[in-house]
Amino acid sequence: QVQLQESGPGLVKPSQTLSLTCTVSGGSITTSYWAWSWIRQPPGKGLEWMGVIAYDGSTYFNPSLKSRTSISRDTSKNQFSLQLSSVTPEDTAVYYCARQYGGFGYWGQGTQVTVSS
């Protein structure tokens, strides 16, 4: 059973970089054809896919966020991370990590991030 857990600060100041980490258990992030996504849900809005890092380390991003987003991984810790730069209050959301293999079969519980001074 794959399990994912997000971690990171719950409050980020405007113009700073938001950094979150997803720790995966029950499966390796390098398993062939599995991919690992970040998804967010602002208050009162729908889910927004942000980007993904595949089993081979390749990355793909939502074009609307591409200029501010990066995703990296630490295979020794079985973790992958999100960095979102130059945040504004509009980046306030619940952030989820999820495994992407066909659909999004496994999700973390989500972590609230608020952008405020």
Side-chain angles (χ1 to χ4, degrees):
Q1 180 81 1
V2 174
Q3 294 183 317
L4 302 93
Q5 178 66 60
E6 304 89 351
S7 60
L11 181 64
V12 182
K13 295 185 185 303
S15 79
Q16 292 187 342
T17 296
L18 180 162
S19 296
L20 297 174
T21 295
C22 183
T23 300
V24 178
S25 59
S28 172
I29 61 173
T30 61
T31 297
S32 291
Y33 309 117
W34 287 4
W36 307 90
S37 283
W38 286 98
I39 299 162
R40 69 180 182 179
Q41 185 168 28
K45 298 184 179 180
L47 294 169
E48 179 180 36
W49 177 78
M50 301 181 69
V52 63
I53 185 164
Y55 68 97
D56 61 355
S58 55
T59 54
Y60 305 90
F61 300 103
N62 185 325
S64 68
L65 297 169
K66 186 176 181 180
S67 64
R68 300 195 291 129
T69 308
S70 63
I71 298 176
S72 58
R73 66 179 184 173
D74 185 335
T75 57
S76 68
K77 296 181 179 179
N78 215 36
Q79 296 174 332
F80 62 104
S81 297
L82 169 74
Q83 295 82 42
L84 180 67
S85 64
S86 304
V87 298
T88 72
E90 291 186 347
D91 294 308
T92 294
V94 177
Y95 286 76
Y96 299 93
C97 56
R99 192 193 79 173
Q100 188 173 348
Y101 182 58
F104 296 100
Y106 294 95
W107 294 67
Q109 65 183 22
T111 187
Q112 172 71 45
V113 178
T114 300
V115 179
S116 175
S117 56

